[in-house]
Amino acid sequence: MTEHAQTQHSQTEQAQTEEAQTEHAREMTVTWQDPAVGLAELPQLSGIDYLRKMMARELPGPPIASHMLMDIVDIAEGTVTFRCEPNESHYNPIGMVHGGLVCTLL
Protein backbone atom coordinates (compact mmCIF):
# COMPACT_ATOMS: atom_id res chain seq x y z
CA MET A 1 0.00 0.00 0.00
CA THR A 2 1.34 3.42 -0.90
CA GLU A 3 1.80 6.14 1.65
CA HIS A 4 -1.12 8.07 0.12
CA ALA A 5 -3.37 4.99 0.30
CA GLN A 6 -2.35 4.35 3.90
CA THR A 7 -3.21 7.94 4.83
CA GLN A 8 -6.62 7.67 3.13
CA HIS A 9 -7.27 4.32 4.86
CA SER A 10 -6.33 5.81 8.24
CA GLN A 11 -8.57 8.84 7.68
CA THR A 12 -11.48 6.58 6.67
CA GLU A 13 -11.04 4.48 9.83
CA GLN A 14 -10.92 7.63 11.97
CA ALA A 15 -14.08 9.00 10.33
CA GLN A 16 -15.88 5.68 10.94
CA THR A 17 -14.81 5.69 14.59
CA GLU A 18 -16.00 9.28 15.07
CA GLU A 19 -19.31 8.45 13.36
CA ALA A 20 -19.85 5.46 15.66
CA GLN A 21 -19.06 7.59 18.73
CA THR A 22 -21.50 10.29 17.58
CA GLU A 23 -24.20 7.71 16.91
CA HIS A 24 -24.02 6.53 20.52
CA ALA A 25 -23.45 9.97 22.08
CA ARG A 26 -25.68 11.18 24.87
CA GLU A 27 -26.06 14.72 26.12
CA MET A 28 -27.22 16.29 29.37
CA THR A 29 -27.49 19.98 30.16
CA VAL A 30 -26.86 20.96 33.77
CA THR A 31 -28.15 24.29 35.04
CA TRP A 32 -27.42 25.71 38.49
CA GLN A 33 -27.60 28.96 40.38
CA ASP A 34 -24.67 30.96 41.66
CA PRO A 35 -23.80 29.51 45.10
CA ALA A 36 -22.38 32.88 46.20
CA VAL A 37 -25.96 34.09 46.67
CA GLY A 38 -26.51 31.54 49.44
CA LEU A 39 -23.06 32.02 50.91
CA ALA A 40 -23.83 35.71 51.43
CA GLU A 41 -26.76 34.74 53.69
CA LEU A 42 -24.98 31.96 55.55
CA PRO A 43 -23.54 34.17 58.36
CA GLN A 44 -27.04 35.29 59.38
CA LEU A 45 -28.59 31.79 59.50
CA SER A 46 -28.22 28.68 61.59
CA GLY A 47 -27.20 25.59 59.67
CA ILE A 48 -30.67 24.07 59.84
CA ASP A 49 -32.33 27.31 58.69
CA TYR A 50 -29.87 27.55 55.80
CA LEU A 51 -30.79 24.00 54.71
CA ARG A 52 -34.50 24.72 55.11
CA LYS A 53 -34.16 27.74 52.81
CA MET A 54 -32.34 25.57 50.27
CA MET A 55 -35.08 22.95 50.48
CA ALA A 56 -37.73 25.68 49.95
CA ARG A 57 -35.71 26.96 46.95
CA GLU A 58 -35.25 30.33 48.67
CA LEU A 59 -31.48 29.82 48.45
CA PRO A 60 -29.57 28.01 45.73
CA GLY A 61 -28.39 24.50 46.40
CA PRO A 62 -24.85 23.33 45.73
CA PRO A 63 -24.06 23.08 41.99
CA ILE A 64 -23.17 19.38 42.30
CA ALA A 65 -26.78 18.68 43.35
CA SER A 66 -27.95 19.81 39.91
CA HIS A 67 -25.77 17.28 38.13
CA MET A 68 -26.45 14.49 40.60
CA LEU A 69 -30.20 15.27 40.55
CA MET A 70 -30.22 15.49 44.36
CA ASP A 71 -32.86 17.19 46.47
CA ILE A 72 -33.35 17.65 50.18
CA VAL A 73 -36.62 15.95 51.13
CA ASP A 74 -36.58 16.21 54.91
CA ILE A 75 -34.77 18.20 57.58
CA ALA A 76 -34.89 17.66 61.33
CA GLU A 77 -32.56 18.52 64.18
CA GLY A 78 -29.39 16.49 63.54
CA THR A 79 -30.51 14.86 60.26
CA VAL A 80 -31.05 15.72 56.61
CA THR A 81 -32.54 13.31 54.06
CA PHE A 82 -31.62 13.60 50.40
CA ARG A 83 -33.20 12.01 47.36
CA CYS A 84 -31.27 11.27 44.21
CA GLU A 85 -32.54 9.94 40.87
CA PRO A 86 -29.52 8.56 39.01
CA ASN A 87 -29.67 8.32 35.26
CA GLU A 88 -27.39 6.87 32.60
CA SER A 89 -24.93 9.76 32.94
CA HIS A 90 -24.18 8.52 36.47
CA TYR A 91 -23.25 4.99 35.39
CA ASN A 92 -19.79 3.47 35.52
CA PRO A 93 -18.44 1.42 32.56
CA ILE A 94 -20.23 -1.76 33.72
CA GLY A 95 -23.65 -0.10 33.74
CA MET A 96 -24.07 0.42 37.48
CA VAL A 97 -24.45 3.72 39.36
CA HIS A 98 -20.94 5.04 39.95
CA GLY A 99 -19.65 4.68 43.51
CA GLY A 100 -18.73 8.37 43.55
CA LEU A 101 -22.40 9.30 43.39
CA VAL A 102 -23.18 6.98 46.29
CA CYS A 103 -20.30 8.41 48.33
CA THR A 104 -21.54 11.94 47.61
CA LEU A 105 -24.90 11.01 49.13
CA LEU A 106 -23.22 9.75 52.28
Side-chain angles (χ1 to χ4, degrees), residues 28-92:
M28 179 176 154
T29 301
V30 179
T31 305
W32 66 92
Q33 296 176 336
D34 183 359
V37 173
L39 288 175
E41 294 208 26
L42 184 58
Q44 292 88 33
L45 299 169
S46 67
I48 196 167
D49 287 337
Y50 186 81
L51 290 171
R52 285 182 178 139
K53 285 184 172 271
M54 281 195 331
M55 187 170 107
R57 307 274 194 253
E58 296 171 16
L59 292 176
I64 192 170
S66 296
H67 176 68
M68 300 266 184
L69 306 176
M70 289 185 340
D71 279 313
I72 299 172
V73 294
D74 189 45
I75 300 170
E77 198 66 43
T79 184
V80 179
T81 304
F82 292 89
R83 175 186 58 220
C84 177
E85 295 183 35
N87 63 37
E88 188 181 41
S89 74
H90 302 116
Y91 291 174
N92 62 24

